[in-house]
Amino acid sequence: MIKNNYFSIKFFDDKLSFLDQTKLPLVEDYVETDDFDRIAEAIERLEVRGAPLIGVAAAYGLALSIKNIPADALRRTFYLAYQRLLSTRPTAVNLFYSLNELKNVFEENKDSENLYDLLIERAKKIHKEDTEMCEKIAQNGLKIFKKKSNVLTHCNTGKLATAGGGTAFYVIQKGYEHNLINKVYADETRPLLQGSRLTAFELHKAGIPFAIQTDSTAAVLMQQNQIDLVIVGADRIALNGDTANKIGTYNLAISCNYHNIPFYVAAPSTTIDRNIPAGNEIDIEYRNKNEVLSIGDMQIAHVEYEAFSPAFDVTPSHLISGIITDEDLFLFPYNFIR
Ligand code: MRU
């Protein structure tokens, strides 16, 4: 019997519990903390990861930063925590959305005796909204299946990456429940293996048939007519639909275009950055080169070698067949402002 009772994040008794995703799939270890700096560290280390989940965790972290802080130190403490959390990861826009929501609550209620409670309330609302958006994404995503399909996905976009059922993963799961999925092909997703460690873990728990392949196998699978469609998540979507997602997503979109295979993005509307017209303005995170020079704890190349380690790439919108959000299934050319 597979136990499907894991969770990515929980807020209870003024503490945040999160599953340390760096230890998955071998160890399911939950960390409990009320320290905003520990939450910032968890985001940096990818113990907590995935654009929507980063946003929710950061909101709780910022609210917790002023718990039991005397009135004369509130502003300084809040803005130090705000800056610390803001600097954890640059690409996922959900982080900035959440922190700014809390900043607005702080400024509107700075003299209130209930400031901490009001911030926690807003964090809980962001949490709940993310859960609800996942449901709507999954529902809207059912429109993309024309027949029972083999689907390829990249990185991890399930319960582990959100506060709900997921984005691209949840579309796949709902598709499976509606008998619209044969099999899922999960890219392993180098360098940090979110596909083979996390997506496979979630597919297994959900009882969905799957195989893991190296990222470079995707084009061959397409050439052999094994893939009917590709669905991925997003870290930031520009107003024209250009989409930043885990490194390797752009390669997939190009391969889909060449093989005439639909390529879909699924994301909550909080992942759309309404301040940037196009993807060239998206700040791409570069991670420590040792993540490329090693796999887990094992060094696979000399530490002194140069390595190139962007965490994300930007797929131009003309390569994206559709963007599934909680609001609708949008088709190219994208117009998110209604
Ligand atoms: O570096 P990560 O693991 O945080 O990257 C995650 C992704 O790229 C996901 O595809 C994206 O955040 C969408 S999660 C619903």
Side-chain angles (χ1 to χ4, degrees):
M1 175 72 175
I2 301 165
K3 282 203 315 198
N4 197 3
N5 56 356
Y6 65 99
F7 63 86
S8 59
I9 214 171
K10 234 180 220 175
F11 187 76
F12 183 71
D13 214 6
D14 286 327
K15 287 190 193 71
L16 189 71
S17 291
F18 62 84
L19 179 56
D20 178 352
Q21 299 189 30
T22 62
K23 295 185 180 156
L24 288 176
L26 301 180
V27 181
E28 290 181 41
D29 190 15
Y30 290 89
V31 177
E32 194 180 86
T33 184
D34 60 0
D35 177 1
F36 81 87
D37 198 55
R38 179 66 187 90
I39 294 169
E41 182 190 54
I43 295 172
E44 273 168 351
R45 294 191 61 239
L46 272 60
E47 290 168 87
V48 168
R49 46 146 301 281
L53 190 66
I54 291 170
V56 178
Y60 283 121
L62 187 52
L64 284 168
S65 73
I66 63 149
K67 190 176 120 187
N68 300 331
I69 298 292
D72 61 347
L74 271 182
R75 170 167 289 275
R76 191 171 163 275
T77 307
F78 181 85
Y79 278 101
L80 278 175
Y82 175 84
Q83 287 304 337
R84 168 76 181 102
L85 287 157
L86 202 69
S87 67
T88 49
R89 299 193 74 189
T91 306
V93 76
N94 309 61
L95 174 73
F96 304 94
Y97 165 79
S98 292
L99 294 176
N100 285 331
E101 288 289 301
L102 265 79
K103 187 169 97 157
N104 292 340
V105 173
F106 182 90
E107 290 303 338
E108 283 159 20
N109 302 281
K110 49 183 178 286
D111 299 322
S112 165
E113 282 180 7
N114 301 329
L115 187 51
Y116 170 70
D117 293 334
L118 292 169
L119 290 170
I120 288 292
E121 201 177 291
R122 188 68 189 97
K124 283 184 177 166
K125 189 155 177 265
I126 291 171
H127 189 157
K128 184 164 174 279
E129 283 166 355
D130 189 60
T131 311
E132 290 165 356
M133 282 189 281
C134 289
E135 293 297 330
K136 291 181 184 155
I137 291 166
Q139 205 54 44
N140 288 335
L142 287 176
K143 295 177 198 160
I144 67 174
F145 297 103
K146 305 283 177 261
K147 58 170 186 173
K148 198 165 179 181
S149 304
N150 284 352
V151 177
L152 186 144
T153 191
H154 191 68
C155 198
N156 171 263
T157 59
K159 259 164 81 172
L160 293 171
T162 65
T167 59
F169 184 95
Y170 208 20
V171 172
I172 292 170
Q173 188 173 353
K174 281 274 190 269
Y176 181 71
E177 286 164 13
H178 284 76
N179 202 24
L180 292 165
I181 299 274
N182 277 319
K183 184 169 178 176
V184 178
Y185 288 90
D187 272 355
E188 66 172 353
T189 318
R190 271 288 283 155
L192 296 179
L193 304 172
Q194 286 91 334
S196 48
R197 292 189 308 104
L198 310 179
T199 299
F201 170 88
E202 297 209 82
L203 288 164
H204 176 69
K205 295 258 186 193
I208 302 172
F210 71 95
I212 301 167
Q213 67 287 337
T214 60
D215 301 343
S216 45
T217 305
V220 171
L221 281 168
M222 292 180 194
Q223 189 182 42
Q224 294 178 351
N225 296 319
Q226 299 293 317
I227 307 297
D228 297 301
L229 51 107
V230 170
I231 317 176
V232 299
D235 285 82
R236 194 188 295 220
I237 303 173
L239 273 183
N240 70 345
D242 291 350
T243 295
N245 190 48
K246 181 53 59 194
I247 190 75
T249 302
Y250 177 38
N251 304 41
L252 273 183
I254 292 170
S255 293
C256 280
N257 185 262
Y258 183 79
H259 293 98
N260 211 10
I261 291 169
F263 177 88
Y264 289 99
V265 168
S269 32
T270 42
T271 300
I272 300 169
D273 186 344
R274 290 162 205 279
N275 296 316
I276 55 166
N280 58 351
E281 293 191 30
I282 298 176
D283 192 355
I284 296 293
E285 175 183 13
Y286 284 77
R287 294 191 59 89
N288 190 307
K289 68 170 189 166
N290 208 40
E291 291 183 356
V292 172
L293 300 177
S294 58
I295 295 184
D297 292 335
M298 187 174 63
Q299 201 73 37
I300 54 165
H302 286 296
V303 281
E304 64 269 29
Y305 288 172
E306 198 181 313
F308 185 57
S309 188
F312 303 99
D313 56 28
V314 177
T315 300
S317 60
H318 69 270
L319 294 178
I320 302 171
S321 315
I323 299 182
I324 307 155
T325 79
D326 42 288
E327 289 171 3
D328 210 344
L329 165 61
F330 294 88
L331 300 174
F332 183 81
Y334 298 103
N335 177 13
F336 299 115
I337 300 176
R338 291 193 161 158

PDB file of all heavy atoms in Angstrom, residues 234-260:
ATOM      1  N   ALA A 234       5.994  26.757 -14.754  1.00  0.00           N
ATOM      2  CA  ALA A 234       6.654  28.033 -15.066  1.00  0.00           C
ATOM      3  C   ALA A 234       7.092  28.718 -13.778  1.00  0.00           C
ATOM      4  O   ALA A 234       6.461  28.555 -12.727  1.00  0.00           O
ATOM      5  CB  ALA A 234       5.704  28.956 -15.818  1.00  0.00           C
ATOM      6  N   ASP A 235       8.164  29.466 -13.885  1.00  0.00           N
ATOM      7  CA  ASP A 235       8.629  30.292 -12.757  1.00  0.00           C
ATOM      8  C   ASP A 235       8.269  31.748 -12.940  1.00  0.00           C
ATOM      9  O   ASP A 235       8.108  32.489 -11.969  1.00  0.00           O
ATOM     10  CB  ASP A 235      10.134  30.132 -12.572  1.00  0.00           C
ATOM     11  CG  ASP A 235      10.415  28.781 -11.937  1.00  0.00           C
ATOM     12  OD1 ASP A 235      10.441  27.785 -12.680  1.00  0.00           O
ATOM     13  OD2 ASP A 235      10.520  28.733 -10.700  1.00  0.00           O
ATOM     14  N   ARG A 236       8.194  32.159 -14.206  1.00  0.00           N
ATOM     15  CA  ARG A 236       7.743  33.532 -14.484  1.00  0.00           C
ATOM     16  C   ARG A 236       7.315  33.608 -15.949  1.00  0.00           C
ATOM     17  O   ARG A 236       8.003  33.094 -16.831  1.00  0.00           O
ATOM     18  CB  ARG A 236       8.875  34.531 -14.220  1.00  0.00           C
ATOM     19  CG  ARG A 236       8.371  35.951 -14.157  1.00  0.00           C
ATOM     20  CD  ARG A 236       9.491  36.948 -14.083  1.00  0.00           C
ATOM     21  NE  ARG A 236      10.305  36.889 -12.888  1.00  0.00           N
ATOM     22  CZ  ARG A 236      10.762  37.959 -12.249  1.00  0.00           C
ATOM     23  NH1 ARG A 236      10.425  39.165 -12.674  1.00  0.00           N
ATOM     24  NH2 ARG A 236      11.554  37.832 -11.201  1.00  0.00           N
ATOM     25  N   ILE A 237       6.168  34.225 -16.167  1.00  0.00           N
ATOM     26  CA  ILE A 237       5.652  34.369 -17.530  1.00  0.00           C
ATOM     27  C   ILE A 237       5.516  35.859 -17.826  1.00  0.00           C
ATOM     28  O   ILE A 237       4.868  36.593 -17.071  1.00  0.00           O
ATOM     29  CB  ILE A 237       4.279  33.667 -17.676  1.00  0.00           C
ATOM     30  CG1 ILE A 237       4.397  32.175 -17.300  1.00  0.00           C
ATOM     31  CG2 ILE A 237       3.726  33.834 -19.081  1.00  0.00           C
ATOM     32  CD1 ILE A 237       3.073  31.426 -17.243  1.00  0.00           C
ATOM     33  N   ALA A 238       6.140  36.295 -18.914  1.00  0.00           N
ATOM     34  CA  ALA A 238       6.031  37.704 -19.302  1.00  0.00           C
ATOM     35  C   ALA A 238       4.680  37.942 -19.975  1.00  0.00           C
ATOM     36  O   ALA A 238       3.992  36.987 -20.361  1.00  0.00           O
ATOM     37  CB  ALA A 238       7.169  38.061 -20.249  1.00  0.00           C
ATOM     38  N   LEU A 239       4.333  39.209 -20.138  1.00  0.00           N
ATOM     39  CA  LEU A 239       3.009  39.543 -20.694  1.00  0.00           C
ATOM     40  C   LEU A 239       2.789  38.997 -22.100  1.00  0.00           C
ATOM     41  O   LEU A 239       1.663  38.750 -22.497  1.00  0.00           O
ATOM     42  CB  LEU A 239       2.833  41.069 -20.706  1.00  0.00           C
ATOM     43  CG  LEU A 239       2.270  41.648 -19.408  1.00  0.00           C
ATOM     44  CD1 LEU A 239       2.079  43.148 -19.550  1.00  0.00           C
ATOM     45  CD2 LEU A 239       0.951  40.968 -19.027  1.00  0.00           C
ATOM     46  N   ASN A 240       3.876  38.790 -22.848  1.00  0.00           N
ATOM     47  CA  ASN A 240       3.713  38.241 -24.202  1.00  0.00           C
ATOM     48  C   ASN A 240       3.736  36.713 -24.213  1.00  0.00           C
ATOM     49  O   ASN A 240       3.715  36.101 -25.273  1.00  0.00           O
ATOM     50  CB  ASN A 240       4.818  38.770 -25.130  1.00  0.00           C
ATOM     51  CG  ASN A 240       6.177  38.200 -24.781  1.00  0.00           C
ATOM     52  OD1 ASN A 240       6.366  37.626 -23.704  1.00  0.00           O
ATOM     53  ND2 ASN A 240       7.135  38.353 -25.677  1.00  0.00           N
ATOM     54  N   GLY A 241       3.805  36.088 -23.017  1.00  0.00           N
ATOM     55  CA  GLY A 241       3.785  34.625 -22.933  1.00  0.00           C
ATOM     56  C   GLY A 241       5.158  33.974 -22.873  1.00  0.00           C
ATOM     57  O   GLY A 241       5.260  32.761 -22.641  1.00  0.00           O
ATOM     58  N   ASP A 242       6.235  34.726 -23.082  1.00  0.00           N
ATOM     59  CA  ASP A 242       7.579  34.138 -22.919  1.00  0.00           C
ATOM     60  C   ASP A 242       7.663  33.572 -21.500  1.00  0.00           C
ATOM     61  O   ASP A 242       7.281  34.253 -20.532  1.00  0.00           O
ATOM     62  CB  ASP A 242       8.683  35.197 -23.074  1.00  0.00           C
ATOM     63  CG  ASP A 242       8.804  35.727 -24.494  1.00  0.00           C
ATOM     64  OD1 ASP A 242       8.173  35.161 -25.396  1.00  0.00           O
ATOM     65  OD2 ASP A 242       9.544  36.721 -24.688  1.00  0.00           O
ATOM     66  N   THR A 243       8.200  32.349 -21.382  1.00  0.00           N
ATOM     67  CA  THR A 243       8.099  31.638 -20.103  1.00  0.00           C
ATOM     68  C   THR A 243       9.449  31.155 -19.590  1.00  0.00           C
ATOM     69  O   THR A 243      10.149  30.392 -20.269  1.00  0.00           O
ATOM     70  CB  THR A 243       7.157  30.424 -20.267  1.00  0.00           C
ATOM     71  OG1 THR A 243       5.845  30.913 -20.540  1.00  0.00           O
ATOM     72  CG2 THR A 243       7.115  29.571 -19.014  1.00  0.00           C
ATOM     73  N   ALA A 244       9.779  31.573 -18.362  1.00  0.00           N
ATOM     74  CA  ALA A 244      10.974  31.036 -17.697  1.00  0.00           C
ATOM     75  C   ALA A 244      10.573  29.787 -16.935  1.00  0.00           C
ATOM     76  O   ALA A 244       9.572  29.785 -16.206  1.00  0.00           O
ATOM     77  CB  ALA A 244      11.541  32.061 -16.725  1.00  0.00           C
ATOM     78  N   ASN A 245      11.319  28.736 -17.156  1.00  0.00           N
ATOM     79  CA  ASN A 245      11.106  27.496 -16.386  1.00  0.00           C
ATOM     80  C   ASN A 245      12.445  26.779 -16.292  1.00  0.00           C
ATOM     81  O   ASN A 245      13.454  27.240 -16.843  1.00  0.00           O
ATOM     82  CB  ASN A 245      10.037  26.624 -17.067  1.00  0.00           C
ATOM     83  CG  ASN A 245       9.609  25.468 -16.177  1.00  0.00           C
ATOM     84  OD1 ASN A 245       9.317  25.669 -14.997  1.00  0.00           O
ATOM     85  ND2 ASN A 245       9.584  24.258 -16.706  1.00  0.00           N
ATOM     86  N   LYS A 246      12.446  25.661 -15.601  1.00  0.00           N
ATOM     87  CA  LYS A 246      13.681  24.909 -15.334  1.00  0.00           C
ATOM     88  C   LYS A 246      14.514  24.730 -16.600  1.00  0.00           C
ATOM     89  O   LYS A 246      13.988  24.429 -17.665  1.00  0.00           O
ATOM     90  CB  LYS A 246      13.282  23.548 -14.738  1.00  0.00           C
ATOM     91  CG  LYS A 246      14.419  22.631 -14.376  1.00  0.00           C
ATOM     92  CD  LYS A 246      15.460  23.276 -13.481  1.00  0.00           C
ATOM     93  CE  LYS A 246      14.900  23.787 -12.172  1.00  0.00           C
ATOM     94  NZ  LYS A 246      15.861  24.700 -11.476  1.00  0.00           N
ATOM     95  N   ILE A 247      15.818  24.890 -16.446  1.00  0.00           N
ATOM     96  CA  ILE A 247      16.750  24.743 -17.559  1.00  0.00           C
ATOM     97  C   ILE A 247      16.468  23.412 -18.302  1.00  0.00           C
ATOM     98  O   ILE A 247      16.315  22.364 -17.660  1.00  0.00           O
ATOM     99  CB  ILE A 247      18.223  24.835 -17.060  1.00  0.00           C
ATOM    100  CG1 ILE A 247      19.202  24.930 -18.204  1.00  0.00           C
ATOM    101  CG2 ILE A 247      18.587  23.693 -16.108  1.00  0.00           C
ATOM    102  CD1 ILE A 247      19.225  26.265 -18.856  1.00  0.00           C
ATOM    103  N   GLY A 248      16.390  23.523 -19.620  1.00  0.00           N
ATOM    104  CA  GLY A 248      16.045  22.341 -20.426  1.00  0.00           C
ATOM    105  C   GLY A 248      14.655  22.447 -21.026  1.00  0.00           C
ATOM    106  O   GLY A 248      14.321  21.735 -21.987  1.00  0.00           O
ATOM    107  N   THR A 249      13.847  23.364 -20.500  1.00  0.00           N
ATOM    108  CA  THR A 249      12.485  23.537 -21.014  1.00  0.00           C
ATOM    109  C   THR A 249      12.517  24.053 -22.457  1.00  0.00           C
ATOM    110  O   THR A 249      11.752  23.597 -23.316  1.00  0.00           O
ATOM    111  CB  THR A 249      11.708  24.520 -20.105  1.00  0.00           C
ATOM    112  OG1 THR A 249      11.702  23.996 -18.780  1.00  0.00           O
ATOM    113  CG2 THR A 249      10.288  24.724 -20.583  1.00  0.00           C
ATOM    114  N   TYR A 250      13.424  24.987 -22.708  1.00  0.00           N
ATOM    115  CA  TYR A 250      13.542  25.569 -24.064  1.00  0.00           C
ATOM    116  C   TYR A 250      13.909  24.480 -25.090  1.00  0.00           C
ATOM    117  O   TYR A 250      13.315  24.410 -26.173  1.00  0.00           O
ATOM    118  CB  TYR A 250      14.586  26.691 -23.988  1.00  0.00           C
ATOM    119  CG  TYR A 250      14.928  27.397 -25.273  1.00  0.00           C
ATOM    120  CD1 TYR A 250      13.964  27.677 -26.230  1.00  0.00           C
ATOM    121  CD2 TYR A 250      16.243  27.822 -25.514  1.00  0.00           C
ATOM    122  CE1 TYR A 250      14.293  28.338 -27.405  1.00  0.00           C
ATOM    123  CE2 TYR A 250      16.577  28.493 -26.669  1.00  0.00           C
ATOM    124  CZ  TYR A 250      15.600  28.742 -27.616  1.00  0.00           C
ATOM    125  OH  TYR A 250      15.937  29.395 -28.773  1.00  0.00           O
ATOM    126  N   ASN A 251      14.866  23.619 -24.711  1.00  0.00           N
ATOM    127  CA  ASN A 251      15.228  22.501 -25.613  1.00  0.00           C
ATOM    128  C   ASN A 251      13.981  21.675 -25.961  1.00  0.00           C
ATOM    129  O   ASN A 251      13.789  21.256 -27.102  1.00  0.00           O
ATOM    130  CB  ASN A 251      16.210  21.519 -24.951  1.00  0.00           C
ATOM    131  CG  ASN A 251      17.469  22.162 -24.453  1.00  0.00           C
ATOM    132  OD1 ASN A 251      17.431  23.247 -23.894  1.00  0.00           O
ATOM    133  ND2 ASN A 251      18.595  21.493 -24.646  1.00  0.00           N
ATOM    134  N   LEU A 252      13.156  21.422 -24.941  1.00  0.00           N
ATOM    135  CA  LEU A 252      11.953  20.605 -25.143  1.00  0.00           C
ATOM    136  C   LEU A 252      11.001  21.293 -26.113  1.00  0.00           C
ATOM    137  O   LEU A 252      10.423  20.637 -26.994  1.00  0.00           O
ATOM    138  CB  LEU A 252      11.202  20.453 -23.818  1.00  0.00           C
ATOM    139  CG  LEU A 252      11.578  19.321 -22.886  1.00  0.00           C
ATOM    140  CD1 LEU A 252      10.654  19.350 -21.681  1.00  0.00           C
ATOM    141  CD2 LEU A 252      11.504  17.979 -23.591  1.00  0.00           C
ATOM    142  N   ALA A 253      10.838  22.609 -25.927  1.00  0.00           N
ATOM    143  CA  ALA A 253       9.904  23.349 -26.787  1.00  0.00           C
ATOM    144  C   ALA A 253      10.388  23.328 -28.239  1.00  0.00           C
ATOM    145  O   ALA A 253       9.587  23.182 -29.166  1.00  0.00           O
ATOM    146  CB  ALA A 253       9.770  24.781 -26.283  1.00  0.00           C
ATOM    147  N   ILE A 254      11.694  23.434 -28.428  1.00  0.00           N
ATOM    148  CA  ILE A 254      12.245  23.379 -29.792  1.00  0.00           C
ATOM    149  C   ILE A 254      12.011  21.992 -30.393  1.00  0.00           C
ATOM    150  O   ILE A 254      11.582  21.855 -31.540  1.00  0.00           O
ATOM    151  CB  ILE A 254      13.760  23.709 -29.782  1.00  0.00           C
ATOM    152  CG1 ILE A 254      13.966  25.170 -29.406  1.00  0.00           C
ATOM    153  CG2 ILE A 254      14.398  23.413 -31.129  1.00  0.00           C
ATOM    154  CD1 ILE A 254      15.416  25.536 -29.126  1.00  0.00           C
ATOM    155  N   SER A 255      12.246  20.953 -29.595  1.00  0.00           N
ATOM    156  CA  SER A 255      12.029  19.580 -30.082  1.00  0.00           C
ATOM    157  C   SER A 255      10.562  19.354 -30.429  1.00  0.00           C
ATOM    158  O   SER A 255      10.244  18.711 -31.427  1.00  0.00           O
ATOM    159  CB  SER A 255      12.456  18.552 -29.031  1.00  0.00           C
ATOM    160  OG  SER A 255      13.837  18.597 -28.859  1.00  0.00           O
ATOM    161  N   CYS A 256       9.665  19.881 -29.605  1.00  0.00           N
ATOM    162  CA  CYS A 256       8.231  19.736 -29.876  1.00  0.00           C
ATOM    163  C   CYS A 256       7.873  20.428 -31.185  1.00  0.00           C
ATOM    164  O   CYS A 256       7.139  19.886 -32.010  1.00  0.00           O
ATOM    165  CB  CYS A 256       7.404  20.367 -28.752  1.00  0.00           C
ATOM    166  SG  CYS A 256       7.267  19.319 -27.321  1.00  0.00           S
ATOM    167  N   ASN A 257       8.420  21.629 -31.370  1.00  0.00           N
ATOM    168  CA  ASN A 257       8.142  22.392 -32.580  1.00  0.00           C
ATOM    169  C   ASN A 257       8.595  21.598 -33.816  1.00  0.00           C
ATOM    170  O   ASN A 257       7.866  21.474 -34.800  1.00  0.00           O
ATOM    171  CB  ASN A 257       8.861  23.737 -32.463  1.00  0.00           C
ATOM    172  CG  ASN A 257       8.547  24.663 -33.598  1.00  0.00           C
ATOM    173  OD1 ASN A 257       9.310  24.758 -34.550  1.00  0.00           O
ATOM    174  ND2 ASN A 257       7.409  25.332 -33.530  1.00  0.00           N
ATOM    175  N   TYR A 258       9.788  21.016 -33.731  1.00  0.00           N
ATOM    176  CA  TYR A 258      10.355  20.253 -34.853  1.00  0.00           C
ATOM    177  C   TYR A 258       9.491  19.018 -35.166  1.00  0.00           C
ATOM    178  O   TYR A 258       9.273  18.676 -36.319  1.00  0.00           O
ATOM    179  CB  TYR A 258      11.789  19.834 -34.508  1.00  0.00           C
ATOM    180  CG  TYR A 258      12.483  19.098 -35.617  1.00  0.00           C
ATOM    181  CD1 TYR A 258      13.037  19.785 -36.700  1.00  0.00           C
ATOM    182  CD2 TYR A 258      12.574  17.703 -35.598  1.00  0.00           C
ATOM    183  CE1 TYR A 258      13.653  19.102 -37.732  1.00  0.00           C
ATOM    184  CE2 TYR A 258      13.190  17.018 -36.633  1.00  0.00           C
ATOM    185  CZ  TYR A 258      13.731  17.721 -37.691  1.00  0.00           C
ATOM    186  OH  TYR A 258      14.338  17.043 -38.721  1.00  0.00           O
ATOM    187  N   HIS A 259       8.994  18.375 -34.091  1.00  0.00           N
ATOM    188  CA  HIS A 259       8.228  17.126 -34.279  1.00  0.00           C
ATOM    189  C   HIS A 259       6.720  17.360 -34.330  1.00  0.00           C
ATOM    190  O   HIS A 259       5.956  16.394 -34.340  1.00  0.00           O
ATOM    191  CB  HIS A 259       8.560  16.139 -33.147  1.00  0.00           C
ATOM    192  CG  HIS A 259       9.969  15.637 -33.182  1.00  0.00           C
ATOM    193  ND1 HIS A 259      10.979  16.167 -32.416  1.00  0.00           N
ATOM    194  CD2 HIS A 259      10.546  14.656 -33.924  1.00  0.00           C
ATOM    195  CE1 HIS A 259      12.110  15.532 -32.664  1.00  0.00           C
ATOM    196  NE2 HIS A 259      11.883  14.611 -33.574  1.00  0.00           N
ATOM    197  N   ASN A 260       6.329  18.630 -34.321  1.00  0.00           N
ATOM    198  CA  ASN A 260       4.899  18.965 -34.387  1.00  0.00           C
ATOM    199  C   ASN A 260       4.094  18.373 -33.222  1.00  0.00           C
ATOM    200  O   ASN A 260       3.022  17.790 -33.419  1.00  0.00           O
ATOM    201  CB  ASN A 260       4.348  18.484 -35.734  1.00  0.00           C
ATOM    202  CG  ASN A 260       3.221  19.366 -36.200  1.00  0.00           C
ATOM    203  OD1 ASN A 260       2.991  20.433 -35.615  1.00  0.00           O
ATOM    204  ND2 ASN A 260       2.493  18.926 -37.200  1.00  0.00           N
TER     205      ASN A 260
END
